């Protein structure tokens, strides 16, 4: 009489599949502590390797924040003709305020400009010897948010220079263009360094798992002798690689936040010299979770290549 095999319900098979994965994942985590010193050294190297591109990312994010703040404060200064009457100036101001590209327009009269120059320059007594007021009236224009980049602001300046009564328009955004060039160079440099460091993470995890596989060669041979599938043999090593990446990512997140806290006082002091309220920002929750997920992905990739290459070469003798 033959044996009757009872097929388990699909739901039970599905649940047991994930229970088996969870059991092997926990077992792989426990395997890290069989050799605590070696595991801690590997995790420390992974943490530092992931923390370096993470710190560069924070540096770039804060540089872009500074650039955004300076770009938002860009303005156009229109120097008006000295012989332009107040009625014409008021009409010109009202006409410019209707531009869809402009957020606000402030007017500085000739007398107000002379008064401010007298207070700020320290040449008050020398100005008394002048026959008249040499300063023109000024319109200070803040472009709309979409027109504050150098190209759009330059186009707007050309349009404003064509207005009757405008003697000269000034837009000093050359420094902003240089800043954007520096940030672009910084972004490319950081990307290159990050790629090299992430490649180092792949090599570290792959080499560590190679050593683990060689240390467990006899166990793998026994498993193959009793008919264990390749997936069953590979799975613990894959989870070990994932754990290396996850814990390394958590350590990198912590190291990055420590660096931000360590630098925060110096940055605040520097910002105070420029009368700025700039605050250094760290990774944040989203970037921190992404860092951990990136570590897990790198660990999985490195372990997959290492496992498929080295376990395939192990055959029972």
């Amino acid at each position: 009489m033959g044996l009757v095999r009872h097929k388990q319900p699909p739901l039970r098979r599905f649940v047991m599949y994930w229970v088996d994965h969870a059991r092997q994942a926990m077992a792989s985590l426990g395997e890290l502590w069989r050799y605590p010193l070696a595991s801690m050294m590997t995790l420390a190297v992974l943490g530092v390797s992931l923390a370096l591109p993470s710190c560069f990312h924070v540096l770039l994010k804060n540089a872009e924040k500074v650039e955004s703040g300076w770009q938002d404060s860009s303005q156009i200064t229109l120097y008006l003709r000295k012989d332009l009457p107040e009625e014409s100036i008021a009409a010109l101001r009202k006409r410019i305020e209707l531009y869809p590209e402009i957020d606000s327009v402030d007017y500085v009269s000739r007398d107000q400009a002379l008064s401010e120059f007298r207070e700020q320059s320290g040449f008050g007594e020398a100005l008394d010897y002048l026959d008249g007021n040499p300063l023109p009236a000024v319109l200070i224009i803040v472009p709309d948010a979409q027109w504050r980049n150098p190209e759009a602001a330059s186009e707007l300046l050309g349009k404003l220079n064509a207005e009757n009564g405008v003697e000269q328009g000034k837009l000093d955004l050359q420094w902003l263009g240089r800043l954007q060039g520096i940030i672009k160079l910084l972004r490319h440099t950081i990307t290159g360094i990050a790629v090299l460091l992430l490649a180092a993470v792949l090599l570290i995890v792959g080499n560590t798992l190679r050593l683990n596989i060689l240390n467990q060669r006899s166990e793998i041979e026994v498993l193959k002798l009793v008919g264990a599938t390749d997936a069953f043999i590979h799975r613990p090593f894959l989870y070990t690689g994932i754990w290396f990446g996850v814990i390394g990512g958590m350590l990198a997140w912590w190291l990055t936040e420590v660096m931000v806290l360590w630098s925060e006082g110096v940055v605040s002091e520097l910002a105070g010299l420029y009368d700025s309220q700039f605050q250094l920002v760290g990774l944040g929750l989203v970037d921190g979770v992404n860092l951990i997920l990136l570590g897990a992905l790198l660990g999985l990739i490195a372990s997959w290549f290492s496992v498929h290459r080295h376990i395939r070469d192990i055959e029972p003798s």
Side-chain angles (χ1 to χ4, degrees), residues 117-168:
F117 182 74
R118 185 188 300 272
E119 293 176 1
Q120 298 177 9
S121 65
F123 297 109
E125 295 182 359
L127 294 175
D128 294 335
Y129 292 97
L130 296 177
D131 296 333
N133 185 355
L135 300 179
V138 174
L139 290 178
I140 300 176
I141 298 171
V142 178
D144 190 69
Q146 298 179 354
W147 291 80
R148 292 178 186 175
N149 58 78
E151 295 79 10
S154 298
E155 180 182 345
L156 178 59
L157 176 61
K159 186 176 179 180
L160 292 171
N161 273 328
E163 287 284 351
N164 292 328
V166 176
E167 183 73 27
Q168 181 186 9

Side-chain angles (χ1 to χ4, degrees), residues 43-79:
L43 291 172
V45 174
L46 290 174
V48 173
S49 299
L50 288 171
L52 287 174
S54 176
C55 289
F56 287 139
H57 172 71
V58 170
L59 173 64
L60 180 60
K61 184 164 70 171
N62 282 275
E64 291 175 341
K65 180 183 176 183
V66 171
E67 178 202 4
S68 176
W70 283 346
Q71 182 167 310
D72 289 344
S73 64
S74 62
Q75 61 185 23
I76 296 174
T77 304
L78 293 182
Y79 299 97

Side-chain angles (χ1 to χ4, degrees), residues 18-53:
W18 290 108
V19 168
D20 184 53
H21 271 270
R23 187 185 299 115
Q24 289 192 330
M26 292 298 102
S28 298
L29 181 60
E31 283 292 320
L32 295 180
W33 308 117
R34 288 182 59 183
Y35 309 98
L37 181 60
S39 297
M40 290 177 63
M41 292 180 64
T42 301
L43 291 172
V45 174
L46 290 174
V48 173
S49 299
L50 288 171
L52 287 174

Side-chain angles (χ1 to χ4, degrees), residues 197-264:
L197 291 171
L198 295 180
V201 171
L202 292 173
L203 294 175
I204 293 168
V205 174
N207 186 64
T208 301
L209 288 177
R210 181 183 67 85
L211 295 176
N212 289 349
I213 292 170
L214 294 178
N215 289 334
Q216 300 181 36
R217 181 185 182 92
S218 58
E219 299 176 17
I220 295 172
E221 290 178 351
V222 172
L223 288 173
K224 287 192 173 184
L225 282 173
V226 299
T229 63
D230 290 341
F232 181 83
I233 298 174
H234 293 173
R235 199 174 298 158
F237 295 101
L238 295 178
Y239 276 118
T240 300
I242 293 174
W243 282 121
F244 273 129
V246 169
I247 299 174
M250 295 172 63
L251 180 59
W253 188 1
W254 178 78
L255 289 173
T256 303
E257 293 302 319
V258 168
M259 291 297 297
V260 170
L261 291 175
W262 181 61
S263 306
E264 193 171 15

